[in-house]
Amino acid sequence: MKILSRFWWILPIIFIAIYPFTLGGNSPYKSGVLIFVGIYIILAVSLDLLIGYCGQISIGHAAFFAVGAYTSGILTAKYGVHPMFAMLIGMLISTALAWATGRPVLALKEYYLAMATLAFNEIVITLIIGLEGFTGGASGLGDIPPFKIFGFSLVNHIHYYYFVWIIVFFIIAGSLAVVKSSFGRTLIAIHSDEPAARHFGIDSPRYKTRLFMLSSAFASIAGSLYAHYMGFIAPDDFGVISSVNIMVMLYLGGIGTIYGPILGATFMKILPEITYQFQDYELLINGIILIIVLVFMPKGIYGIILKAINRVLRKV
Amino acid sequence: MNDVSHIIQFLFSGITTGSIYALIAVSLVIVYKASQLICFAQGEFFVFGALSMITLTSKGLPMPIAFFAAVFISVCIGSLIQQVLIKPIQGSSVGNLIVMTIAISLALRGLALIIWGRESYILNPYTKGEPLFVFGASLQIQVLWIVGITILVLLIIWYFFEKTSLGIAMRACAENPLGASLMGISVQKSALFAWAWGAGIGALAGAVVAPLLFIQYTSGVMPMIKGFIAMSIGGLGSIAGSVMAGFLLGLVESYTIGLISSKFSDTIVFALLMLVLIFRPNGLFSKS
Amino acid sequence: MRKLAVFILIAFFAISIFPAGSYAQAQKVYKIGGIFSLTGYLSWLGEYKKKAAELKVELINKAGGINGIPLQLISYDDTSSPEQASKVAQRLISKDNVVAMAGTASVPISGAVASMANRYKIPTIINSGYAVDTAKDPFLFNTSHKTDFAVVTAFRYFQKKGITKLALLMPIGPLGELGSNVARKYAQEYKITIVGEEKFDVKAPDVTSQLAKIRTMNPQAVFSFTTGEPAALIARNMEQLNLKVPFLVSHGNANPGFLKLVANINTEILVPSGKVMKPDALSDNDPTKKKILEFNKSHMEKYKEPANYFSAELADAIDLIVEGLKITKSADPVKLRDAIEGIKNYPAMQGVYTFTAKDHHGTKPDDMILLTIKQGKWEIPK
């Protein structure tokens, strides 16, 4: 039993590893479902670092998702830049934006911070639409080539699936490491009582901005992965609605837990694959399911699972 | 005639859109003032108010009755939601509550889709009449109704929150729930009333704005976002502030479109919003 | 209570995971995928498309299918989102194994689906403003008339009426970009001067600021390549400002819903359209007339409303796929694509289709007509 509780995480990894050949049935559609899940896990986890651990609410996360996607898309489709290089540039631009806006924006409180992040998201979107000659505008940007690892082109869906999930794994591991490190503990201190933390000499704006930069870099990676997978991107999917969806994944799964957003992202991306059968009623049913989960699982799905596991462990 | 008339036209355009933003902002502020909660479902009350009134008038009900009935329906829905869904999770974190209101807005939108389908509906203006012409700029008469009703609503709110004991109690609850409950004021009742008010004003906004627009089940999203922006500019707890901010937002939009660029007007407006938030974080009109 | 709720949720999911009827079917059937916007901001037109597609498939099966083999339409909602459209396209391609796809209501959605269609080599007939470049999208066809045709049809009318000064009021979005580019492309040829261009947000409740600016340019007509509510709003605002010039909109407004929206508005509105909207104005030797009247009759019977522009787009899409299947006699998507590309002089509702390796739209400017609205009815403007 002890081995199980220490190494439980090997089970999901094994599931992910063998999925394409088992439940996934070698089908591009089924791999695709989990590829999207993986991309949104990166988004949700990176947002959790910001909201859950640092207490900085953001409804503009999709802006960085867009920066990564469009940088990768434009550089590879229009200028033939190597995808790996383009992804790196996307991360740099995202991080730079986070650094530039971090200090003033993160100093705001709660709803005002939320509004500022919303405004930032909208600015990015309106610029993407406005600079149509460069970005394809509202019509979208197509012909994005598949990702390449040095010379090897990831055309096959199974190759891309593993590529995405390896990145997901590293980002999850990285996020857990950050959270458990002294940097992470400082952030939690800032979150629980910022004035006290500052009183003890912690330069909280600097920490918050650094975390914001890390979070935006991860979101940018997700954007690049998304662009190369879809082959086509449009501003529609990077707006405030998307940011809000990512936030919902967080709260559904359980904020401040890293594992929670993983569950939340999985749930939100798999749910439509089930409820699509209800056609006209799909929207209503999605809303109702969300409500049920929120009312009966206030600590998120992760909270419920933890409770269930504890109960089982106690009985054993 | 040319220059003056279109400067004034921008003014009228700003007042028209600003009046919509102001009303929604008020409904958001009321819920916030009395329960510390931002309700993301306000846009759906807007739609329900508009579509209910349209359906009722098409069934033959006279407009005034349809108006009050539409508001009443939303008040009932809002109260029901508060009792069944919000009350049980009242102690949760701010984020949880926000997400719950988002889920509620999805469900309401899905319900609207089932009831009214996908088409857009129109509502006749409350009074027939040619638009007003002032120095060559024109203003739809319905906008006068909107402004008039907004002023009336503000007066009623002011009277309620300043002069009635229930209203004063609700304000006490918002400022200090523990203290208020120690004084015997029911925090539960207060939250319920807040939602009822919010839903009612949201629906009222929809009913009075509908003649300017074409309403369908997704029409609530944009007003909600704009109302939210107006509330942030005006100061979260300030009703008068959010009304002024709503009109200000409408005016800034229309003057930016008119005088600067219609292509980048949204970019400019959001950039200005960010600046306001950064340099006047408590809102332009709040006291602190 | 909590346990019950959790149990119900789990049971719900368990049941839903077993999708209805997707176990291998013994009998042969041709599967076509439909991608329609049934929720979200495009949902009002998605419904027209789905209804037409379903009716067409029903009619074909009633007539015996394709060489005796029935057609099956599997359709999904793209929720007006390119990401979701990409997903459902994948679902249709690799889960439902369709031989062809049809649908998509907007340019970005078409783009997202095009990416999948090309990747997995499935012929797809889209119907939006997306201009098919056969070098990049060899598997794509488009039964929506090219924006060029709509503009040319309108410009010919303007030339006839002596209208030379045109103002553009374009929506921020793909249609606006398209409309503006195409209008400028043909302006000189038809002796039209574009006196100015303003942009507006399709969600905006008021465009009088933009119209006030436009009024100072003294236009003889206003063109907005926009569909639905925004078009109606501009018409209403034009009336409000006493801007009494003709107002040209997109051909996406050729549907009954639009008539309802502009019912109380007195602005003169011009709508380019396919011939489906006014079959009685067609001469008897117009090759599209017969098909239009037949389909219209069935559409009235089943749905109690006449077919509209969007219906014609889908009816033709299904028709073309069926023609291709008749030629290939197999469910090979690549062969089907070639077969469709080889179709020449095929009369359908949007026009007479002739595809080539370079042209996957297949129709001509003459396949469009210009309509106006008088007393709630579609009329040909004099």
Side-chain angles (χ1 to χ4, degrees):
Chain A
M1 219 52 214
K2 263 209 179 143
I3 302 175
L4 195 63
S5 66
R6 275 204 79 195
F7 294 103
W8 62 270
W9 42 269
I10 296 208
L11 288 173
I13 291 183
I14 294 180
F15 175 77
I16 296 289
I18 63 173
Y19 172 82
F21 303 107
T22 53
L23 211 61
N26 209 3
S27 143
Y29 164 64
K30 298 230 170 106
S31 314
V33 172
L34 281 207
I35 289 177
F36 277 113
V37 168
I39 290 175
Y40 277 90
I41 285 180
I42 297 177
L43 287 169
V45 166
S46 59
L47 188 62
D48 195 21
L49 290 175
L50 203 55
I51 299 186
Y53 288 93
C54 196
Q56 305 299 304
I57 194 159
S58 163
I59 43 175
H61 207 51
F64 298 110
F65 187 36
V67 167
Y70 269 90
T71 309
S72 277
I74 295 174
L75 290 178
T76 56
K78 289 191 163 186
Y79 300 103
V81 173
H82 192 286
M84 288 174 78
F85 199 43
M87 186 190 263
L88 217 60
I89 297 182
M91 287 170 68
L92 282 170
I93 298 180
S94 260
T95 313
L97 275 173
W99 176 80
T101 55
R103 270 210 128 95
V105 167
L106 294 174
L108 301 173
K109 298 271 169 293
E110 286 191 354
Y111 292 117
Y112 299 108
L113 173 60
M115 280 316 307
T117 55
L118 183 153
F120 178 67
N121 199 161
E122 282 294 308
I123 291 176
V124 170
I125 298 295
T126 56
L127 284 176
I128 291 175
I129 293 178
L131 301 170
E132 65 213 56
F134 190 51
T135 62
S139 305
L141 179 73
D143 294 326
I144 301 176
F147 198 85
K148 271 203 296 205
I149 302 184
F150 297 107
F152 181 66
S153 206
L154 294 174
V155 182
N156 184 312
H157 63 99
I158 296 191
H159 297 158
Y160 201 66
Y161 170 90
Y162 284 118
F163 175 60
V164 167
W165 276 95
I166 289 174
I167 294 188
V168 172
F169 173 74
F170 276 113
I171 289 186
I172 294 176
S175 302
L176 285 169
V178 163
V179 159
K180 296 196 171 123
S181 71
S182 63
F183 179 72
R185 276 176 279 139
T186 312
L187 285 166
I188 296 174
I190 295 175
H191 182 188
S192 30
D193 193 339
E194 189 163 347
R198 295 178 88 143
H199 182 75
F200 282 104
I202 294 177
D203 182 357
S204 78
R206 198 162 73 137
Y207 277 88
K208 290 200 281 191
T209 306
R210 288 232 182 113
L211 183 73
F212 193 37
M213 287 162 68
L214 181 68
S215 168
S216 72
F218 285 165
S220 174
I221 293 176
S224 301
L225 293 174
Y226 181 86
H228 288 291
Y229 181 62
M230 298 239 316
F232 176 91
I233 50 179
D236 303 47
D237 294 317
F238 298 105
V240 172
I241 308 276
S242 293
S243 293
V244 169
N245 282 341
I246 301 172
M247 210 182 78
V248 171
M249 287 175 198
L250 262 194
Y251 280 93
L252 209 53
I255 46 161
T257 57
I258 302 288
Y259 300 112
I262 296 176
L263 293 169
T266 309
F267 183 80
M268 290 278 288
K269 283 291 150 187
I270 301 226
L271 181 65
E273 304 297 316
I274 298 172
T275 57
Y276 74 80
Q277 298 167 73
F278 296 97
Q279 304 196 355
D280 270 7
Y281 288 81
E282 184 181 343
L283 188 57
L284 178 62
I285 290 180
N286 282 346
I288 291 179
I289 289 180
L290 214 57
I291 290 175
I292 292 179
V293 172
L294 286 168
V295 171
F296 293 108
M297 308 180 198
K299 283 217 162 40
I301 301 179
Y302 183 59
I304 290 281
I305 292 184
L306 268 187
K307 268 199 185 159
I309 292 178
N310 277 336
R311 239 180 253 167
V312 166
L313 285 179
R314 248 183 283 145
K315 291 207 177 124
V316 162
Chain B
M1 169 175 168
N2 281 332
D3 272 332
V4 178
S5 86
H6 63 257
I7 297 288
I8 301 192
Q9 191 63 56
F10 302 153
L11 176 70
F12 286 167
S13 174
I15 293 178
T16 305
T17 52
S19 61
I20 302 175
Y21 306 155
L23 266 183
I24 304 264
V26 169
S27 69
L28 284 169
V29 170
I30 296 255
V31 177
Y32 181 76
K33 256 182 111 84
S35 68
Q36 299 290 313
L37 175 66
I38 305 271
C39 175
F40 272 73
Q42 279 308 112
E44 311 328 309
F45 290 125
F46 177 87
V47 167
F48 267 81
L51 290 176
S52 305
M53 180 156 177
I54 290 173
T55 306
L56 292 171
T57 48
S58 75
K59 299 255 187 260
L61 235 56
M63 273 193 148
I65 299 187
F67 179 81
F68 287 109
V71 172
F72 181 68
I73 292 174
S74 277
V75 166
C76 292
I77 298 177
S79 308
L80 190 67
I81 289 176
Q82 196 276 339
Q83 286 293 296
V84 173
L85 297 173
I86 303 289
K87 196 161 98 169
I89 61 165
Q90 209 147 32
S92 307
S93 66
V94 163
N96 259 23
L97 288 166
I98 290 180
V99 174
M100 174 55 98
T101 62
I102 293 175
I104 292 171
S105 94
L106 281 182
L108 284 176
R109 206 176 309 158
L111 188 61
L113 169 59
I114 293 171
I115 299 176
W116 285 288
R118 299 180 171 92
E119 40 175 305
S120 298
Y121 295 86
I122 49 179
L123 181 64
N124 284 330
Y126 288 10
T127 48
K128 280 201 179 115
E130 292 296 304
L132 274 186
F133 268 92
V134 176
F135 290 118
S138 92
L139 182 68
Q140 291 189 53
I141 306 271
Q142 187 67 21
V143 178
L144 297 177
W145 276 101
I146 298 176
V147 173
I149 290 184
T150 304
I151 294 177
L152 201 62
V153 165
L154 284 179
L155 284 172
I156 296 177
I157 291 176
W158 171 80
Y159 183 78
F160 178 78
F161 279 103
E162 297 284 328
K163 302 283 184 205
T164 67
S165 48
L166 182 55
I168 295 174
M170 279 174 74
R171 275 170 53 209
C173 280
E175 280 160 44
N176 190 345
L178 183 57
S181 60
L182 283 176
M183 299 275 295
I185 298 173
S186 165
V187 179
Q188 298 299 339
K189 257 212 198 142
S190 182
L192 173 62
F193 263 97
W195 270 77
W197 268 102
I201 297 179
L204 179 149
V208 75
V209 168
L212 293 182
L213 308 172
F214 304 89
I215 309 278
Q216 50 137 313
Y217 76 105
T218 61
S219 296
V221 180
M222 192 281 293
M224 167 72 214
I225 293 182
K226 293 284 164 83
F228 194 30
I229 294 176
M231 184 175 73
S232 309
I233 298 176
L236 279 180
S238 164
I239 292 179
S242 57
V243 169
M244 287 193 278
F247 281 104
L248 184 65
L249 180 63
L251 288 168
V252 169
E253 271 180 4
S254 75
Y255 275 98
T256 309
I257 289 172
L259 298 175
I260 307 178
S261 150
S262 53
K263 192 177 189 192
F264 286 104
S265 74
D266 272 343
T267 311
I268 294 174
V269 167
F270 281 111
L272 287 175
L273 172 65
M274 272 188 93
L275 289 174
V276 166
L277 287 171
I278 291 173
F279 293 107
R280 279 297 291 257
N282 279 326
L284 286 178
F285 302 110
S286 68
K287 290 140 200 146
S288 37
Chain C
M1 190 58 201
R2 193 178 285 208
K3 283 190 195 161
L4 184 63
V6 174
F7 177 73
I8 292 176
L9 266 184
I10 295 178
F12 175 78
F13 284 128
I15 296 172
S16 317
I17 283 185
F18 293 100
S22 108
Y23 294 109
Q25 278 148 321
Q27 118 201 80
K28 190 142 187 249
V29 78
Y30 287 125
K31 295 197 244 181
I32 300 183
I35 301 178
F36 305 119
S37 302
L38 301 173
T39 49
Y41 75 100
L42 293 165
S43 56
W44 63 278
L45 57 82
E47 203 172 357
Y48 291 130
K49 296 193 184 207
K50 183 170 181 218
K51 278 158 57 168
E54 285 173 349
L55 174 60
K56 193 65 177 177
V57 169
E58 210 177 277
L59 291 172
I60 288 174
N61 285 337
K62 253 192 222 160
I66 302 150
N67 304 326
I69 300 174
L71 206 57
Q72 183 188 6
L73 176 69
I74 302 174
S75 50
Y76 296 127
D77 179 8
D78 60 28
T79 70
S80 307
S81 149
E83 177 185 316
Q84 191 63 16
S86 178
K87 274 196 214 174
V88 302
Q90 279 222 298
R91 193 190 290 155
L92 287 167
I93 294 172
S94 53
K95 175 170 176 281
D96 298 310
N97 298 114
V98 297
V99 67
M101 299 190 290
T104 78
S106 76
V107 172
I109 289 178
S110 298
V113 170
S115 185
M116 290 297 148
N118 291 325
R119 186 183 297 182
Y120 295 104
K121 305 204 185 335
I122 302 286
T124 302
I125 304 193
I126 58 170
N127 354 90
S128 74
Y130 187 90
V132 178
D133 175 348
T134 55
K136 290 195 210 160
D137 299 316
F139 277 83
L140 232 59
F141 299 86
N142 195 343
T143 52
S144 188
H145 292 109
K146 270 189 168 158
T147 308
D148 298 49
F149 301 171
V151 167
V152 162
T153 305
F155 280 13
R156 281 183 188 157
Y157 175 78
F158 285 158
Q159 203 173 28
K160 189 171 98 172
K161 299 295 257 182
I163 292 175
T164 55
K165 292 178 356 176
L166 181 66
L168 303 181
L169 177 55
M170 289 297 168
I172 293 171
L175 288 185
E177 293 160 6
L178 206 51
S180 175
N181 292 338
V182 175
R184 290 176 192 280
K185 182 167 148 188
Y186 290 98
Q188 198 181 30
E189 186 181 332
Y190 291 90
K191 313 262 188 298
I192 291 175
T193 315
I194 301 203
V195 296
E197 176 170 356
E198 289 298 315
K199 291 226 182 267
F200 71 96
D201 182 341
V202 292
K203 297 255 185 302
D206 183 275
V207 293
T208 51
S209 295
Q210 290 93 328
L211 286 172
K213 274 164 93 175
I214 283 176
R215 197 169 45 180
T216 65
M217 304 164 190
N218 287 320
Q220 292 167 300
V222 175
F223 176 29
S224 183
F225 198 59
T226 189
T227 310
E229 295 151 37
L233 180 71
I234 298 174
R236 185 192 276 159
N237 281 173
M238 280 175 71
E239 187 181 359
Q240 178 191 336
L241 292 187
N242 260 349
L243 188 54
K244 294 191 162 96
V245 296
F247 174 44
L248 173 67
V249 295
S250 90
H251 44 293
N253 291 308
N255 60 73
F258 188 64
L259 284 180
K260 277 199 212 141
L261 289 183
V262 299
N264 301 329
I265 302 174
N266 288 320
T267 307
E268 181 189 347
I269 305 176
L270 298 169
V271 184
S273 166
K275 293 175 180 169
V276 62
M277 298 303 291
K278 204 100 177 102
D280 39 307
L282 302 173
S283 83
D284 283 336
N285 43 19
D286 187 318
T288 64
K289 187 168 183 178
K290 180 161 174 270
K291 262 212 166 123
I292 293 177
L293 289 175
E294 268 172 20
F295 187 74
N296 221 352
K297 182 157 169 278
S298 311
H299 200 277
M300 276 301 284
E301 267 168 28
K302 180 161 184 177
Y303 299 119
K304 312 284 178 279
E305 67 180 21
N308 61 63
Y309 190 81
F310 299 119
S311 328
E313 287 176 334
L314 260 304
D316 281 5
I318 307 279
D319 244 346
L320 291 165
I321 293 174
V322 166
E323 273 308 293
L325 286 171
K326 282 190 190 152
I327 299 172
T328 65
K329 297 197 187 27
S330 87
D332 180 327
V334 179
K335 289 209 182 102
L336 180 58
R337 185 217 83 96
D338 295 337
I340 297 177
E341 195 179 67
I343 290 177
K344 309 248 181 278
N345 296 317
Y346 179 76
M349 292 170 68
Q350 295 280 71
V352 179
Y353 288 91
T354 295
F355 293 121
T356 67
K358 285 235 162 85
D359 178 11
H360 278 195
H361 284 255
T363 47
K364 292 183 300 304
D366 287 328
D367 289 320
M368 292 195 86
I369 55 177
L370 192 65
L371 293 174
T372 187
I373 301 171
K374 287 215 162 54
Q375 284 164 338
K377 292 205 187 27
W378 297 107
E379 297 290 336
I380 308 269
K382 303 278 176 284

